[in-house]
Amino acid sequence: MKVTDHIKNANGKTLFSFEIIPPKKGNSIQQLYNNIDPLMEFNPPFIDVTTSREEYLYIEKDGLLDRKITRMRPGTVGICAAISHKYNVDTVPHVLCGGFTKEETEYLLVDCHYLGIHNVMALRGDAMKHEQYFKACDGGHQFAKELVGQIQNLNKGQYLHDVIEADGKSDFCIGVAGYPEKHLEAPSLKTDLKRLKEKIDAGADYVVTQMFFDNQKYFEFVEAAKAEGINVPIIPGIKPLAVKRHLQLLPQVFKIDLPEDLIDAVEACKNNQQVRQVGVEWAIQQSKELQAAGVPVLHYYSMGKSDNVKAIASELF
């Protein structure tokens, strides 16, 4: 079922969902199941599965360094298929511009279609570690709106190099990212909202926000999006703080602000166990306010661990 259909069928009730990261190469998928198992009691209608872009590996050969491309984690589509089969739940694979050609994207989407995956999250992705700014690979998309356009073309039976008339063409529900505190590269929130509107006009069906820790920023973002003509569901993304280093790391990486009350509470902690509890309590209060406001879904960034998300969900669902 499509994410938008799950929201429609909920009749105003706030749903629970979460995002997981595929295990690194060489690790057992059981490790992933162990983190998903405790969260299934809250009946998530869908689970997001992230995609990591390529990395460069340097191998010494004959005294020279030979650069090879590698991927740290197994294929997202395979993980989605395994999760769907085990838990009978819809999955949402993340599809990136970065590191993928248009042809590779088409192959991935065709695989999703054959596996009965009806939802995808279309993202530009981050720049490579050695690059200051994002750069598309040869034959790839530079912007998420272009990726959304390719997915919509496939829904119409328009493949990259031909048009296929068939009854069984794809019908993907497309999610995109939104930024309550604007994308780090955007010159202003107004400009960022225009870029989001372009993604919606290209065919995106819903939005999931980047993490935020001040609900007012989400509420203002939703109102500003509506004023821009964006009328699709906007799902808040919630990440519970877990370690003291997040005070520096999250603002640096995601260019977000943390409320002073939260900063003070974390700085008063003597260890990361206490920080994790503060993160849970803050996310519970955030979630309760968002739920009372009637958000369609509360979407949690689990980052491969489920104990804190379980503690939060137990208070709400």
Side-chain angles (χ1 to χ4, degrees):
M1 189 184 295
K2 293 182 177 182
V3 167
T4 49
D5 289 335
H6 282 298
I7 293 172
K8 189 183 304 180
N9 292 344
N11 294 317
K13 178 184 175 182
T14 299
L15 301 172
F16 165 80
S17 72
F18 60 95
E19 177 181 297
I20 59 99
I21 301 172
K24 291 184 179 180
K25 287 190 300 188
N27 291 348
S28 168
I29 196 171
Q30 187 59 46
Q31 178 184 350
L32 186 62
Y33 292 156
N34 291 343
N35 284 309
I36 294 175
D37 285 344
L39 301 179
M40 294 310 295
E41 69 175 275
F42 307 112
N43 299 313
F46 59 91
I47 299 171
D48 274 47
V49 183
T50 66
T51 295
S52 58
R53 65 172 301 171
E54 84 283 16
E55 297 180 1
Y56 289 134
L57 181 69
Y58 292 90
I59 300 173
E60 186 173 346
K61 184 178 180 181
D62 299 329
L64 300 174
L65 289 177
D66 191 17
R67 190 173 76 168
K68 299 291 185 182
I69 291 178
T70 184
R71 291 189 186 273
M72 183 171 61
R73 301 177 189 274
T76 294
V77 174
I79 296 294
C80 284
I83 292 173
S84 295
H85 175 73
K86 180 173 176 61
Y87 297 103
N88 192 28
V89 65
D90 285 315
T91 51
V92 185
H94 289 195
V95 184
L96 302 182
C97 296
F100 294 87
T101 66
K102 297 170 188 175
E103 284 78 12
E104 288 171 328
T105 297
E106 182 170 285
Y107 300 151
L108 183 150
L109 293 169
V110 168
D111 284 347
C112 287
H113 174 53
Y114 280 126
L115 288 166
I117 294 172
H118 304 294
N119 305 280
V120 292
M121 176 65 67
L123 304 167
R124 191 199 69 176
D126 298 325
M128 296 282 282
K129 291 179 180 178
H130 65 280
E131 295 175 342
Q132 186 174 4
Y133 301 106
F134 177 86
K135 181 182 178 182
C137 65
D138 291 340
H141 294 298
Q142 179 70 28
F143 302 107
K145 68 177 180 180
E146 298 169 352
L147 176 56
V148 172
Q150 180 179 358
I151 300 168
Q152 276 292 14
N153 284 341
L154 202 68
N155 284 345
K156 300 171 186 174
Q158 298 173 11
Y159 291 71
L160 287 174
H161 306 301
D162 55 2
V163 176
I164 298 177
E165 295 294 337
D167 294 331
K169 59 189 176 185
S170 65
D171 186 23
F172 289 113
C173 177
I174 307 169
V176 292
Y179 301 86
E181 299 174 70
K182 86 174 184 62
H183 189 275
L184 58 91
E185 296 174 15
S188 70
L189 182 57
K190 178 71 173 178
T191 302
D192 201 32
L193 283 166
K194 289 179 180 178
R195 301 290 87 82
L196 180 59
K197 181 64 162 55
E198 290 173 358
K199 291 188 282 188
I200 303 304
D201 290 344
D205 298 291
Y206 69 98
V207 176
V208 179
T209 75
Q210 180 177 258
M211 70 183 75
F212 56 91
F213 294 88
D214 181 350
N215 285 350
Q216 191 58 35
K217 298 195 175 187
Y218 168 80
F219 295 135
E220 291 172 357
F221 174 73
V222 171
E223 288 305 310
K226 289 179 180 177
E228 198 67 37
I230 297 169
N231 297 306
V232 300
I234 299 179
I235 297 170
I238 306 296
K239 174 180 171 51
L241 278 176
V243 295
K244 189 168 283 193
R245 187 165 175 261
H246 279 162
L247 291 185
Q248 289 76 41
L249 190 63
L250 297 182
Q252 178 184 6
V253 174
F254 299 102
K255 300 300 185 286
I256 58 175
D257 289 334
L258 300 179
E260 289 299 327
D261 288 351
L262 178 59
I263 295 171
D264 291 344
V266 171
E267 287 183 339
C269 293
K270 296 179 180 178
N271 52 53
N272 281 332
Q273 184 177 355
Q274 292 180 359
V275 173
R276 201 169 184 83
Q277 184 58 35
V278 166
V280 166
E281 292 171 0
W282 188 273
I284 288 172
Q285 294 309 310
Q286 260 195 286
S287 300
K288 285 182 175 179
E289 184 180 20
L290 291 165
Q291 190 179 50
V295 299
V297 184
L298 285 168
H299 185 72
Y300 295 93
Y301 297 116
S302 73
M303 304 304 292
K305 300 291 184 182
S306 60
D307 59 315
N308 51 0
V309 176
K310 178 179 171 64
I312 297 162
S314 296
E315 295 291 325
L316 291 119
F317 298 98

